[in-house]
Amino acid sequence: MSTTAILVTIYFMLLIGWGFYNFIKKQKSGQNSLEEQFIGDRSYTTGPLLASLVAIWGSNYTLIAAAESGFTSGISGVIWYGMGIVIPLFLFSWPLNIPKRIRELHPKGLTFIEIIGKRYDEKSRLAALAILFISNILFIISIVLATGIVLKSLLNIDLSTAIIIGGGVMIVYTALSGFDALIYGRIFQLALAGGAVAVAIILSVNAFSLPELIHQVSANRGEMLNSIKWGPTEMLDFCIASVGFVFGSPILYQIAFSGKNDKVVTRAFRLFPLAWAPFAVGTAIMGMVAFLLYPGITGQEAAMTLVANLFPEWAAVLFFLGALALVFSTADGAINNLASIVIFDVYQKHSKKEMTPKKASILSMTTQISLGVIGIIGALNFGDGVLALLVLNGTVNIPFIFTIVLGLYWKRTHPTAAFWSMIIGITSVIVLYFGFHQSIYTNFAGIVTSILILVIGSFLLTNKETDLLSLSTRNVSKGGDGVA
């Protein structure tokens, strides 16, 4: 067995060992409620929250998708990929401060779908549940695919084998670990990844002397320095999808609910885009360098090919382990979160049976294993790249954007208008994306359709004195299910 394979095996064993240790610890303590497995004890401070956010968001968004954007679109990819993700993250936490708002309205909240159900009604909850399942299954597939791409380059094995190995370890680690173990494990994962990316950026730039790098970039000016090479329409399309990706991400709401208080949650979310941006810009630049050196490869292979062929062995192994750390952080967050939605918003919503700690543990593990298997099967059969999957995931989330924002801040947002906004919005997105060969107008049409129906419908169904926001808040305080 090679040194690289030994190091990867040790890394996998450390992950599984950490998960197993925490699993045994929970079993012995007898404190194994469903809420603790998916939201922790709601006592996390800024540091763990911020590390968790950056580690989760720094996975296939950064090491693969950002490098792909720099490879295919040059400086345009660096600029617009970074801005396309950072701006929605700022909007989520600076002007609106959605994390604080949802904590005020739902102090004991658990899931994203629960917010929709309590603010609107049952049919809106079911519509949101269907959309969320579609988008998050796509997300999990993209993560498993990213894991396979990293392992393929690291171990020099075929992609299918890498997907199965990486996906299998991911399932075991996530199923064994509860929320508490995952959130503290991400601190280690982020430290490993941060060091790896820093070394990678330095070595990528040093692939050329500075004069040679400037010469190579200048010689490929049309490819590398065109700030709108991505195309204005495509850039707008990506930015809209990114807004949907952020505002419709249930992981962000889960982390917001887990914080100790509003102050630490707000601080973590506001530092989040600033801490994440260097990862994106750095790896997008790596994609540009990969284009100069290896123009014949595909975009999603840019970062991995550059590292495997250019870096000394120790640096390549460090980078790949850092990449795995970020991918696994994203994977455990996505699977753990979607499992919480399956359990709280599907199973418990319709089950009358008492949930014992033992049954909670079995149900949690079974659900997370099932979702991981779906991710592996999807990754083995999905032909498009990671960036395409992420954009599609954001596209499906577009009907959520104003359903969430107006529902949290505008008292007249009506449940019926919200329901039809989501239904017609997702229908227009699906028809345009799949019926017209992934039309670049898909996201624009989806966001315009959903907001027009939501706003016009709410005006028609309410009057100036209507206050559905206060009504939903009162129902939450009484333990009700929201607006009927």
Side-chain angles (χ1 to χ4, degrees):
M1 183 181 289
S2 68
T3 303
T4 301
I6 292 171
L7 289 173
V8 172
T9 302
I10 292 172
Y11 171 71
F12 283 163
M13 290 177 65
L14 286 173
L15 285 182
I16 295 173
W18 173 248
F20 185 71
Y21 165 77
N22 283 276
F23 176 76
I24 297 298
K25 182 180 176 182
K26 286 184 298 181
Q27 297 301 314
K28 288 183 176 180
S29 68
Q31 298 175 344
N32 199 31
S33 70
L34 275 175
E35 181 170 329
E36 287 178 328
Q37 291 184 49
F38 296 110
I39 213 74
D41 58 4
R42 302 180 192 267
S43 66
Y44 302 105
T45 56
T46 300
L49 293 177
L50 178 61
S52 194
L53 287 167
V54 176
I56 287 173
W57 226 251
S59 170
N60 34 352
Y61 315 99
T62 304
L63 295 181
I64 296 178
E68 182 179 349
S69 69
F71 181 91
T72 56
S73 302
I75 196 66
S76 174
V78 177
I79 294 170
W80 291 103
Y81 183 89
M83 289 180 62
I85 299 292
V86 166
I87 289 174
L89 292 176
F90 272 123
L91 291 175
F92 192 78
S93 58
W94 280 92
L96 298 174
N97 200 352
I98 286 178
K100 181 181 178 182
R101 182 65 170 168
I102 62 170
R103 288 173 58 87
E104 290 173 349
L105 297 178
H106 308 280
K108 296 296 182 182
L110 292 168
T111 70
F112 174 83
I113 297 301
E114 180 187 31
I115 298 172
I116 298 288
K118 289 181 175 179
R119 173 58 180 88
Y120 297 116
D121 56 13
E122 179 63 9
K123 65 178 182 292
S124 297
R125 188 189 75 86
L126 292 174
L129 187 63
I131 295 170
L132 194 89
F133 261 109
I134 295 170
S135 67
N136 279 267
I137 289 298
L138 290 171
F139 185 37
I140 290 173
I141 291 172
S142 77
I143 299 166
V144 178
L145 177 59
T147 305
I149 292 170
V150 174
L151 275 179
K152 173 189 173 185
S153 299
L154 182 57
L155 300 177
N156 195 27
I157 56 179
D158 65 90
L159 182 59
S160 296
T161 303
I163 286 172
I164 293 170
I165 294 173
V169 174
M170 180 191 304
I171 290 170
V172 175
Y173 168 60
T174 306
L176 286 173
S177 305
F179 187 82
D180 190 68
L182 294 177
I183 204 165
Y184 284 114
R186 290 169 196 150
I187 298 175
F188 161 73
Q189 306 270 46
L190 183 62
L192 175 62
V197 171
V199 170
I201 294 170
I202 294 170
L203 291 175
S204 296
V205 173
N206 285 341
F208 304 94
S209 64
L210 185 58
E212 176 63 16
L213 179 60
I214 294 172
H215 172 74
Q216 289 282 349
V217 171
S218 299
N220 292 272
R221 182 183 302 272
E223 294 286 338
M224 306 300 295
L225 298 181
N226 182 353
S227 62
I228 58 171
K229 185 193 173 198
W230 202 339
T233 307
E234 288 82 356
M235 289 187 293
L236 175 62
D237 193 58
F238 175 74
C239 288
I240 294 173
S242 297
V243 174
F245 191 69
V246 170
F247 280 77
S249 172
I251 299 176
L252 298 185
Y253 298 86
Q254 181 189 34
I255 292 176
F257 284 134
S258 70
K260 183 177 181 179
N261 54 50
D262 292 347
K263 183 178 180 180
V264 302
V265 169
T266 297
R267 186 186 298 125
F269 273 86
R270 288 182 174 176
L271 290 173
F272 173 27
L274 298 175
W276 175 85
F279 284 86
V281 173
T283 48
I285 291 172
M286 288 175 61
M288 292 178 63
V289 175
F291 176 80
L292 294 174
L293 293 173
Y294 313 106
I297 63 174
T298 63
Q300 73 173 13
E301 297 174 317
M304 304 306 147
T305 301
L306 181 72
V307 171
N309 290 279
L310 183 66
F311 291 10
E313 184 177 0
W314 67 268
V317 172
L318 175 63
F319 178 84
F320 286 129
L321 289 178
L324 279 176
L326 290 180
V327 173
F328 269 80
S329 295
T330 310
D332 66 51
I335 294 174
N336 179 270
N337 178 266
L338 190 54
S340 74
I341 291 170
V342 171
I343 292 170
F344 290 120
D345 297 301
V346 179
Y347 181 83
Q348 283 202 321
K349 190 77 175 176
H350 302 285
S351 175
K352 305 293 184 182
K353 297 180 181 179
E354 181 183 357
M355 185 65 66
T356 63
K358 181 178 180 180
K359 187 173 182 180
S361 179
I362 294 172
L363 181 61
S364 170
M365 293 184 69
T366 303
T367 304
Q368 292 182 82
I369 290 170
S370 300
L371 291 171
V373 170
I374 291 172
I376 291 173
I377 294 171
L380 288 171
N381 291 280
F382 199 97
D384 288 343
V386 171
L387 184 57
L389 272 169
L390 292 175
V391 171
L392 179 56
N393 175 231
T395 298
V396 173
N397 280 344
I398 283 174
F400 283 138
I401 299 172
F402 289 100
T403 304
I404 284 290
V405 174
L406 295 184
L408 292 175
Y409 292 95
W410 187 34
K411 66 181 183 179
R412 292 179 63 176
T413 315
H414 195 277
T416 301
F419 171 77
W420 286 110
S421 170
M422 288 187 284
I423 293 297
I424 298 177
I426 189 64
T427 301
S428 67
V429 163
I430 291 172
V431 169
L432 285 173
Y433 189 90
F434 292 104
F436 293 87
H437 306 291
Q438 303 179 17
S439 167
I440 58 175
Y441 302 107
T442 298
N443 295 337
F444 183 73
I447 199 168
V448 170
T449 301
S450 61
I451 191 173
L452 285 177
I453 292 172
L454 186 60
V455 172
I456 294 173
S458 294
F459 271 121
L460 292 174
L461 294 169
T462 62
N463 54 52
K464 289 190 295 184
E465 287 72 36
T466 303
D467 189 354
L468 297 173
L469 185 56
S470 296
L471 177 59
S472 69
T473 305
R474 288 196 298 272
N475 283 346
V476 169
S477 66
K478 296 175 183 177
D481 288 330
V483 181

